[in-house]
Amino acid sequence: MKYGNLIHNGLSRGEDNRVVNLGDAFEIIAIDEIYERMGISRDQIVEIDMYELDKYDGEPVILPINFMLATQSMGVNILKMSQKIIPIFLGVTFAQTRFTKEQLGILKNSEPIGCRDERTKNILLSGGVKAYLGGCIVSTITRKSKKRKRKVAFIDVPLKVHKYIPEEIRRDGLIMHHEFVVSYEEIRKDNSLKNRARQRIDFYAENIRMIVTSRFHAAVIGLALGIPVILVAENNFYKFSWLSKLLPFYNSADAASIDWNPKAVNIDDIKGNMIEIAISRIRNANALYNLSTVLDNSLSNESRCDENALLYYSGAIDYIKSNWNKDNAIHYSFWGINENAKHINDFIKQSYPRAVLTKIYDGLRTVIFEGMQSETPTKESMEKDSFLFVTSNTAARVAEELFREIHKKNYYLCHLEFIRE
């Protein structure tokens, strides 16, 4: 069993460029640091592209996920992952408010779902999926610095705020951004996005005394590093719900009322809980996988397994070969539309081209097979002249009683003969 982390190389903007966000790289770095706390070495970690989760075909892997997800993004259904991936949703936000039954089923298989916002949590709960508000794992990133911090980072701040910034804060200000456009080749050549994100985290830790931002991850990284944060956005967007409980939050229309002297928020207890939950869920997934692997190894018997074998099929084929003439236009029918019927019919069509399927019967359901609709097998519906294959062991005894009653002789029962007294 391996441990996974995501690769996120941004969203396409034309053929050669990508729109990238440092916050996405912060998410990946936070999972790297969880693994470091667990003592997991780099050679145990597999990196998987976020938009190729369905293609992964390596060793089974546990994959923590803490992203904002759109189930359809860049033409990919994010939730349709490879069977070799065991996803652990630690803190996800979903862009959509409605989920299909299939999507809810996939999420239910990974319960409980850690959510980054209350909207996502409530939507999943209403869909019958166990969920909890887990915040964002970026909150667990830690850096220490003894340098005296002098600068104020204005990270993608709404223009309406500009005229309200006090002069003494403006003097120390650095205009910064979290989103930018780069070539795809530049991203791929040296993992430059994650490297740039690490450099930015270190820069904030060593130089920034306050962050003013509209960006979710800029606020979260400030919270993680113990830097006072002013979160100011156009509105209280749903993914800010838990942040606005911890940090001073302002709508951009309220810029005149901003308190420009916020205090750092101590989240050590919250951070400790996030780390403990993440590690516990990863370890439990690994332990459960190891236990199931032991059971699988104890019971597996591949040398004795014929995946293509069908009960009763070979006897029917032997009967046809021994009793049918390829030159005759034999009329035949089936009682029970199952895998036996499909394979027997394929054999007949290939080997006896003049044979004609005339009717199908099924006592349990109405089905369409070879363009025909099934009928219930009764005395009235039964064709006396058509050769009939009864394709299931269960139906054989019922069929025998009916055949005796109507004096039908031309049939084959796909069943086993048991020892009787």
Side-chain angles (χ1 to χ4, degrees), residues 133-302:
L133 188 60
C136 177
I137 205 74
V138 171
S139 303
T140 65
I141 289 175
T142 300
R143 296 287 188 279
K144 295 188 180 298
S145 174
K146 295 181 180 180
K147 291 176 61 175
R148 184 181 176 188
K149 302 171 186 179
R150 299 179 179 274
K151 296 297 182 180
V152 176
F154 290 94
I155 306 169
D156 297 317
V157 177
L159 184 60
K160 292 179 181 179
V161 175
H162 187 263
K163 65 181 179 180
Y164 299 106
I165 302 173
E167 182 57 33
E168 65 273 16
I169 292 177
R170 195 193 305 268
R171 282 197 305 267
D172 295 336
L174 296 174
I175 305 299
M176 308 185 80
H177 306 283
H178 268 203
E179 190 173 89
F180 42 92
V181 177
V182 296
S183 73
Y184 189 40
E185 283 305 311
E186 183 181 350
I187 295 172
R188 295 181 62 189
K189 68 182 179 183
D190 61 355
N191 213 3
S192 61
L193 179 57
K194 192 157 72 168
N195 291 338
R196 190 179 301 192
R198 285 197 180 96
Q199 292 167 4
R200 185 66 70 89
I201 293 169
D202 292 338
F203 179 84
Y204 291 159
E206 294 176 4
N207 299 283
I208 300 303
R209 64 178 176 86
M210 183 170 70
I211 290 175
V212 185
T213 188
S214 65
R215 290 283 182 185
F216 175 84
H217 282 109
V220 176
I221 197 63
L223 193 63
L225 300 176
I227 299 171
V229 175
I230 296 172
L231 180 56
V232 52
E234 184 178 345
N235 52 52
N236 195 358
F237 190 50
Y238 63 89
K239 70 177 181 178
F240 292 147
S241 60
W242 65 280
L243 272 179
S244 59
K245 181 177 182 178
L246 300 174
L247 298 173
F249 173 85
Y250 302 89
N251 292 326
S252 54
D254 301 328
S257 63
I258 292 176
D259 177 2
W260 293 97
N261 189 33
K263 305 299 181 187
V265 179
N266 187 322
I267 62 162
D268 286 350
D269 289 344
I270 294 173
K271 185 181 294 192
N273 285 341
M274 286 184 176
I275 293 170
E276 183 178 354
I277 289 170
I279 291 175
S280 176
R281 292 192 64 190
I282 292 168
R283 283 182 173 155
N284 285 344
N286 189 44
L288 183 60
Y289 177 82
N290 288 339
L291 189 61
S292 63
T293 300
V294 170
L295 180 61
D296 180 89
N297 290 337
S298 299
L299 298 176
S300 291
N301 190 17
E302 292 184 2

Side-chain angles (χ1 to χ4, degrees), residues 21 23-28 30 50 65-70 89-95 113-122 124 131-139 215-217 220 237-244 274:
N21 190 314
D24 295 330
F26 291 170
E27 299 282 10
I28 296 166
M50 186 170 182
I65 300 175
N66 193 71
F67 265 83
M68 182 170 184
L69 302 176
F89 295 98
L90 294 177
V92 292
T93 286
F94 284 104
I113 306 299
C115 303
R116 224 163 60 181
D117 66 280
E118 287 165 313
R119 189 186 81 163
T120 296
K121 180 189 77 171
N122 292 334
L124 295 182
Y132 64 94
L133 188 60
C136 177
I137 205 74
V138 171
S139 303
R215 290 283 182 185
F216 175 84
H217 282 109
V220 176
F237 190 50
Y238 63 89
K239 70 177 181 178
F240 292 147
S241 60
W242 65 280
L243 272 179
S244 59
M274 286 184 176

Side-chain angles (χ1 to χ4, degrees), residues 219 319 338 364:
Y319 177 90
N338 52 24
L364 301 177

